[in-house]
Amino acid sequence: MMSIHINNVRKNFGNFSALNDISLEIPPGELVALLGPSGCGKTTLLRIIAGLESPDSGSISFNGEDATQRHVKERQVGFVFQHYALFRHMTVFENVAFGLRVRPKATRPSDAEIDRRVHELLDLVQLDWLGDRFPPQLSGGQRQRIALARALAVEPKVLLLDEPFGALDAKVRKELRRWLRRLHDELHITSVFVTHDQEEALEVADRVVVMDKGKIEQIGTPGDVYDNPATPFVYQFLGNVNLFHSRVHAGFARIGELEVGVPGHADTQDTPALAYIRPHDIDIQRQGNKDTLKVKVSDIHAIGPIVRLELEQGDSSEIIEAELTRERFGELNLVRGEEVFIRPRKLRVFLQ
Amino acid sequence: MNLNLQPKHTVLPGFTPALGFTIFYLSLIVLIPLSAAFLKTSLLTWDAFWATVTAPRVMASYRLSFGAAFIGAAINAVFGLLVAWVLVRYKFPGKRIIDALVDLPFALPTAVAGIALTAVYAPNGWLGSILEPHGIKVAFTPLGVVVALTFIGLPFVVRTVQPVLEDLEAEAEEAAVSLGANRWQTFTKIIFPAIAPALLTGFSLAFARAIGEYGSVIFIAGNMPMISEITPLLIITKLEQYDYAGATAIAVVMLVISFVLLLIINGLQWWNAKRNGSIK
C-alpha cells in the first residue's frame, strides 16, 4: 500500500493562485476526501498528485520516493474523471481492457488473461452483462462504475477520483457512494476523492481535508471536522448555520439581549466575535426568559422528518433558520406569523 | 382500428413545409438540371452511347480523373489532418494568417490557381527547374493533375477535421495516458477513431470536388490525349464540336460513378457510426 506526501506545493494559473503552499500526508490504505467550494484548488491538487499537472514548486512523494518528475503513465495511479472520459468508440469490455492492451509486449498479459481480468473487474462493479455495449448506451451511474473498473484494471497503487458522483442525480449518487465505500473496504487501496458535497465527504471518507482559496483549512475525521471546526469557513461549509454578530465578554457571548455562556473565553474582554448556531441546535419555546430571544415565525417548511422554520428577529431583516423534529413541531403547534422564543442549545464563537 | 397517419408529434415546428421546401429546392437546383443531362443522352442509341463512353481516349480520361482525384484527396487527408492538428493544438505567431491561408483555394478562381501552379511547376518555373534535373516532370503530366487537385481539395479536409479536433475531450486523452498509453497509442487508439468520421467526410468532399475540377487542371495538365486529359475536358471538347449528346453521355457516366462512390463513402460512414454504437 502506498502513502502519499505532498510537500509545500504551489501552483499558479496566471495571477490566480490555485494552490498556496499545500502540505498534506495521506496514510496508506485510507480513503481521503478533498472538500471545498469550486475554485478552491482541490481538483488541481488531485491532478498534481496524478501527474496530469505539475506544481510550480514543492514535491510529491509516494512511499517516501520523490515522484514529482515522474510521468503520469509511470505513477501507477488510477484516475476517475467527473465526466467519466470513457472511450466512446470502444465497447465497455475494451474500455476496461485498454490499460492492459497498451502495455509493452514484455509485460502484456495474454488475451485469455486479459479476458479473465476484465470479466473479474466487470463482476466487481456488477456490470458484467454490459461488456458488449458502448458507453453512450449506458446510464451515468453505469458509466462511472465502468470508469472505475477501467482505472482499477492497471492495478494502481493509488486511486484518484475527481468529483466522481458530481454528474449523477441524487439517488444514484447516494447508492454509488455507499458502494465506493464498500469497494474501498474490500480493496484497501489508498484513495483520494474530490468533492464539493459535504454530505458525501462526511459519509464516505476516513479523513476529510477541507480546502478554501488554495489553502487547507482543516484536516480530520468526519466527526472531527463536523463537531470541532477549526475556522469559521469550515463551520459554514459543513452544513447550514445561523450567523450572529456578537461581543464576547468574560465567558459570555452577547447577541442582542441574549447572553450565552461560551466555555474557554473566560479571560476575553469585550471582543467582537462571530457566533454560529446550527439550525438543529435551536430550541423553540412558548415562554420567554432571559436565556431566550423573541422571534416571529415567518415561514414553515414541513416536508420530510425535519420541519424547517424561518424566523425573523424584530429589528433585523436577517432570517434565522431552525430545524425541529416533527414530534416537537406537533407539540408546539406553530402557525405562521406568531411570536415565539428561541434558545440556542449550542453555539460556537470565533473572535474577530 | 385507429390508423394514425399523422406525423409523430414533435416540438419542432413546420416539418411538412420544411420537407416540402427541401425536396422542391433540391429538385430545382440539382435534380432537374441533372435529369436534363440524362434526357439529352437518351437521344443516342444504346450502341452509340456505349461506343462514346467506352472509347479508349474516354476510358483513359476516367482513369486519370478518378485516379488523380483519389490520390489528391488521399494526400489531403494526411496533410490536411496535419494542418488541422497544428492549427488546433499549438499556439504560434502567425497562426491566424495560416488559418486564413487554408481557405485560399476556396476563394481563388480556379483558372488563377491553374496558371499559378503551371508557372511554378513548368520546366522553367521555380520548382519545376529544381525538379526537372532529377527527372521529375510535374507540369503537363498526370502528376501535374494530382498537384492541382491536391491544391483545390485541401480546405475541405482541414475545415471538416478542425472543429472535431477542437471539441475532442482532453479528458479521454488524459485517461489513456493515466492508463499507461504512450503518445502513439493515444493517437492511434483514442484520437484517430474520434476524428475518423470527420476525416472521411473531408476526404469525400475533397474527392468529389476534385472529380469535377476543370479550371485549375487544364492549364497544368497539358491535355495530351490518352495521357493527361481529364474527363471534364473531353466533355468540353465534345461540346465545342457541337456533339451535345456525346458530351452528356460522358457526363452521365461521370455522374453515375461519382454518385456511386459518394454513396459508398456514406455507407462506410454509417457502418462506422453503427459499429461505434452512436446509432442504435
Side-chain angles (χ1 to χ4, degrees):
Chain A
M1 272 190 284
M2 191 88 103
S3 68
I4 308 170
H5 291 257
I6 296 152
N7 311 307
N8 307 96
V9 162
R10 281 173 196 278
K11 178 79 183 175
N12 294 323
F13 294 109
N15 290 327
F16 175 69
S17 163
L19 294 175
N20 193 358
D21 198 18
I22 297 276
S23 293
L24 176 64
E25 188 182 317
I26 296 164
E30 256 192 16
L31 178 54
V32 172
L34 300 180
L35 173 67
S38 53
C40 75
K42 55 194 192 303
T43 295
T44 308
L45 182 59
L46 192 79
R47 289 172 62 86
I48 286 177
I49 299 173
L52 292 170
E53 211 93 57
S54 56
D56 294 341
S57 66
S59 67
I60 305 284
S61 51
F62 291 153
N63 271 351
E65 266 176 71
D66 185 35
T68 318
Q69 299 305 321
R70 216 180 281 168
H71 189 260
V72 199
K73 79 190 224 281
E74 278 125 31
R75 287 203 192 192
Q76 292 188 288
V77 296
F79 201 99
V80 176
F81 295 85
Q82 180 179 4
H83 298 289
Y84 330 120
L86 291 176
F87 308 134
R88 301 168 54 94
H89 60 282
M90 293 183 195
T91 60
V92 163
F93 181 94
E94 284 305 320
N95 263 281
V96 178
F98 185 84
L100 301 172
R101 291 211 200 278
V102 296
R103 285 196 187 167
K105 266 225 170 65
T107 56
R108 192 187 307 156
S110 69
D111 276 359
E113 172 67 10
I114 289 176
D115 194 76
R116 191 187 64 75
R117 293 259 291 271
V118 172
H119 281 299
E120 209 175 86
L121 283 160
L122 288 176
D123 266 341
L124 183 72
V125 299
Q126 300 153 1
L127 291 175
D128 202 19
W129 51 288
L130 287 177
D132 299 332
R133 304 275 186 93
F134 286 89
Q137 298 165 322
L138 308 184
S139 72
Q142 290 170 338
R143 286 185 213 181
Q144 198 54 293
R145 282 193 276 168
I146 295 301
L148 194 63
R150 183 180 68 177
L152 290 172
V154 293
E155 295 176 327
K157 300 282 187 286
V158 174
L159 189 61
L160 305 171
L161 307 104
D162 183 12
E163 302 250 5
F165 315 128
L168 303 170
D169 57 67
K171 192 159 174 283
V172 180
R173 207 140 128 183
K174 269 212 163 111
E175 257 170 52
L176 265 191
R177 69 191 189 211
R178 275 187 211 126
W179 175 81
L180 175 69
R181 181 67 238 186
R182 278 203 308 276
L183 193 75
H184 183 264
D185 292 341
E186 252 173 70
L187 302 174
H188 283 298
I189 180 172
T190 311
S191 309
V192 182
F193 78 101
V194 156
T195 180
H196 61 262
D197 179 346
Q198 15 89 16
E199 203 184 311
E200 192 170 292
L202 296 177
E203 192 181 310
V204 176
D206 293 319
R207 193 183 292 263
V208 178
V209 177
V210 186
M211 294 179 67
D212 184 40
K213 294 181 185 139
K215 292 197 123 147
I216 292 178
E217 293 275 323
Q218 190 173 6
I219 305 173
T221 63
D224 255 0
V225 292
Y226 191 80
D227 294 329
N228 301 306
T231 65
F233 173 81
V234 177
Y235 204 96
Q236 275 185 315
F237 196 72
L238 297 177
N240 291 333
V241 285
N242 293 298
L243 168 67
F244 297 92
H245 293 279
S246 76
R247 297 190 87 81
V248 175
H249 181 72
F252 283 93
R254 209 183 161 81
I255 304 169
E257 293 301 301
L258 179 70
E259 277 197 345
V260 189
V262 281
H265 288 289
D267 297 332
T268 311
Q269 296 294 315
D270 201 24
T271 311
L274 294 175
Y276 291 93
I277 307 170
R278 297 241 186 251
H280 56 78
D281 285 332
I282 290 178
D283 239 357
I284 309 242
Q285 302 174 342
R286 287 267 175 215
Q287 252 71 51
N289 56 35
K290 72 172 179 56
D291 290 335
T292 61
L293 212 58
K294 195 164 100 174
V295 294
K296 203 175 105 188
V297 179
S298 60
D299 217 341
I300 301 172
H301 303 280
I303 296 160
I306 298 290
V307 178
R308 289 197 304 116
L309 301 180
E310 283 177 20
L311 310 166
E312 268 172 23
Q313 233 182 315
D315 50 345
S316 83
S317 60
E318 261 181 54
I319 282 176
I320 303 168
E321 258 188 69
E323 286 175 3
L324 59 167
T325 60
R326 222 160 236 289
E327 290 77 23
R328 181 76 185 131
F329 178 70
E331 277 168 33
L332 286 165
N333 197 19
L334 294 172
V335 285
R336 190 178 302 178
E338 74 174 312
E339 293 197 327
V340 291
F341 298 89
I342 57 168
R343 187 180 68 83
R345 266 197 301 266
K346 207 171 146 196
L347 158 156
R348 176 78 201 246
V349 293
F350 292 97
L351 298 181
Q352 281 183 310
Chain B
M1 282 271 294
N2 181 12
L3 263 181
N4 189 2
L5 294 176
Q6 289 291 310
K8 216 166 72 180
H9 181 75
T10 134
V11 288
L12 291 176
F15 170 75
T16 314
L19 181 70
F21 180 77
T22 305
I23 291 173
F24 169 75
Y25 187 79
L26 275 180
S27 306
L28 195 70
I29 300 291
V30 181
L31 286 178
I32 292 176
L34 291 187
S35 55
F38 281 87
L39 269 176
K40 194 85 191 167
T41 311
S42 63
L43 295 176
L44 291 173
T45 64
W46 178 250
D47 288 336
F49 170 79
W50 192 248
T52 310
V53 299
T54 58
R57 196 171 153 192
V58 179
M59 291 299 276
S61 81
Y62 295 147
R63 276 195 292 276
L64 178 66
S65 264
F66 287 97
F70 186 85
I71 295 169
I75 292 172
N76 277 327
V78 175
F79 292 97
L81 172 60
L82 198 70
V83 171
W85 180 269
V86 169
L87 286 176
V88 171
R89 290 294 168 112
Y90 306 110
K91 278 186 187 158
F92 53 90
K95 178 169 159 170
R96 281 178 186 281
I97 296 173
I98 296 201
D99 201 36
L101 269 179
V102 169
D103 285 330
L104 219 52
F106 269 151
L108 212 61
T110 50
V112 175
I115 294 166
L117 286 172
T118 313
V120 169
Y121 284 105
N124 55 359
W126 290 347
L127 289 175
S129 59
I130 300 169
L131 294 172
E132 182 87 15
H134 298 93
I136 304 169
K137 283 187 186 169
V138 180
F140 318 126
T141 67
L143 187 57
V145 178
V146 172
V147 168
L149 296 183
T150 307
F151 175 83
I152 51 129
L154 176 75
F156 293 97
V157 174
V158 178
R159 291 294 179 238
T160 48
V161 173
Q162 207 175 0
V164 178
L165 214 47
E166 270 163 4
D167 289 346
L168 213 59
E169 260 189 315
E171 285 191 347
E173 282 169 60
E174 287 177 348
V177 177
S178 77
L179 290 168
N182 59 34
R183 277 162 193 274
W184 177 244
Q185 287 167 326
T186 308
F187 180 79
T188 54
K189 289 172 187 266
I190 306 303
I191 299 171
F192 188 77
I195 54 173
L199 192 61
L200 195 61
T201 303
F203 171 85
S204 57
L205 286 174
F207 181 57
R209 171 71 210 274
I211 291 171
E213 178 59 15
Y214 174 73
S216 61
V217 180
I218 48 159
F219 292 97
I220 199 170
N223 308 327
M224 280 171 288
M226 304 299 293
I227 297 170
S228 59
E229 218 174 24
I230 55 167
T231 314
L233 179 78
L234 276 184
I235 297 171
I236 297 284
T237 316
K238 290 223 183 284
L239 285 178
E240 281 168 350
Q241 296 158 352
Y242 304 106
D243 180 6
Y244 294 124
T248 48
I250 300 175
V252 161
V253 171
M254 270 199 96
L255 213 65
V256 169
I257 298 177
S258 302
F259 187 67
V260 168
L261 287 175
L262 291 176
L263 214 58
I264 290 172
I265 293 173
N266 274 344
L268 216 61
Q269 200 78 278
W270 180 81
W271 170 77
N272 184 44
K274 193 174 151 74
R275 203 174 51 111
N276 291 350
S278 25
I279 299 174
K280 277 166 207 167

